[in-house]
Amino acid sequence: MKQRTLTGLVLALVSFLLLCCFRLPFVPELATICLGCSAAWEILGACGVKSKLLRMVCYAWAVLLPLLPLGENRYVMSALLVLGLCYFTYLMGRIGKPQKGWMPFVNVFFTVGLYRSLAAFGRLPQGAMRLCLTGVICALTDIFAYLVGSRFGKHKLSPKVSPGKSVEGALGGLLVTLVLVTLVFSPYYGNAWAVALYAGVCSILSQWGDLSMSAVKRVAGVKDFGKIFPGHGGILDRCDSLMYPLAFTWLLHCFLG
């Protein structure tokens, strides 16, 4: 726990520095490329992919997508969000069955595609603030889901996908996050109901992102995506909850302003 806490503090500091520099030219794109390449590397490694051609295609997707204007088309991102949710939900039902040959590529395709929305935050009004709010919601959900679940958890949320998660923990993380975010951020945004609704949707999506990446690991037969962060696992083990909320937040701005 001590090592996990220390690593968490270091990650929080790095995240704060990134937010401070987020308005600088090319920083959002570089951050997105790094995140996308890391996601591709960890997924391909977890799935045991040896093909150099497939690896090159996946890395090219991770590098080029943040630089292509097509990636900022709201209808393209909407399709990626909906289809990604459907695909990873399907993957949760395949745990215990053999991994199909096309799955590693599709895993990378949707994961990198959804993380691509991070680059678009650099061009949003108050993009760093929006990114911070999204990250805070995901972090609070994760923390309080763990705290409530470890103390009161009795009913498994999804035993095959993530045996350690409980219904009580999921609801606790959702409710505590919703209350805290509404109390802190509603004076800034001026609409408590809108903030509460946004926080609730992002909290649910963050937990679904966690389950989605857990499904990738279970189907591949690995416990963690990596060991780069002591006590936390790999990059995807820490950033999985951001996958859907980032895309949802950007789309919300595109459609509603």
Side-chain angles (χ1 to χ4, degrees):
M1 178 59 73
K2 183 178 179 180
Q3 186 182 55
R4 183 181 176 88
T5 303
L6 180 60
T7 303
L9 292 173
V10 172
L11 289 174
L13 177 60
V14 172
S15 300
F16 175 74
L17 293 175
L18 175 62
L19 285 170
C20 291
C21 301
F22 206 68
R23 295 292 295 179
L24 296 177
F26 303 114
V27 169
E29 289 82 3
L30 287 173
T32 307
I33 289 172
C34 290
L35 180 58
C37 287
S38 299
W41 177 63
E42 290 187 346
I43 290 173
L44 294 173
C47 295
V49 174
K50 304 296 183 183
S51 170
K52 292 183 179 179
L53 177 60
L54 180 56
R55 285 182 170 269
M56 288 177 61
V57 170
C58 290
Y59 292 138
W61 173 244
V63 171
L64 294 176
L65 187 61
L67 305 177
L68 296 175
L70 180 65
E72 288 194 25
N73 183 294
R74 57 185 177 178
Y75 298 108
V76 171
M77 186 55 67
S78 297
L80 282 171
L81 179 57
V82 172
L83 294 175
L85 280 165
C86 293
Y87 168 72
F88 287 117
T89 301
Y90 156 76
L91 200 64
M92 294 177 199
R94 285 198 54 85
I95 294 174
K97 300 178 182 179
Q99 177 179 255
K100 294 184 179 293
W102 49 267
M103 284 182 174
F105 172 74
V106 180
N107 293 340
V108 172
F109 177 83
F110 281 117
T111 303
V112 171
L114 289 167
Y115 280 138
R116 194 269 175 238
S117 55
L118 175 63
F121 277 75
R123 284 174 288 283
L124 288 183
Q126 301 177 332
M129 179 65 178
R130 294 169 187 261
L131 179 58
C132 178
L133 176 56
T134 307
V136 166
I137 291 171
C138 294
L140 288 176
T141 300
D142 185 48
I143 291 169
F144 285 102
Y146 171 76
L147 292 176
V148 174
S150 61
R151 178 67 178 85
F152 302 104
K154 293 182 179 179
H155 302 87
K156 298 295 183 181
L157 179 64
S158 184
K160 289 185 178 180
V161 179
S162 189
K165 290 180 170 46
S166 66
V167 174
E168 293 82 0
L171 291 176
L174 169 63
L175 293 175
V176 175
T177 299
L178 193 154
V179 171
L180 290 178
V181 170
T182 302
L183 289 175
V184 173
F185 287 93
S186 59
Y188 178 80
Y189 285 101
N191 190 327
W193 289 109
V195 172
L197 180 60
Y198 169 74
V201 173
C202 278
S203 180
I204 293 171
L205 288 175
S206 74
Q207 297 192 60
W208 205 254
D210 195 337
L211 289 174
S212 295
M213 289 297 103
S214 292
V216 173
K217 290 186 287 186
R218 297 294 174 266
V219 171
V222 299
K223 185 179 183 296
D224 292 316
F225 280 112
K227 299 180 179 179
I228 190 170
F229 299 132
H232 289 260
I235 291 174
L236 276 179
D237 292 306
R238 283 298 85 211
C239 297
D240 51 9
S241 62
L242 285 168
M243 184 169 63
Y244 299 129
L246 283 176
F248 171 73
T249 301
W250 182 69
L251 286 171
L252 195 65
H253 170 78
C254 289
F255 285 105
L256 300 181

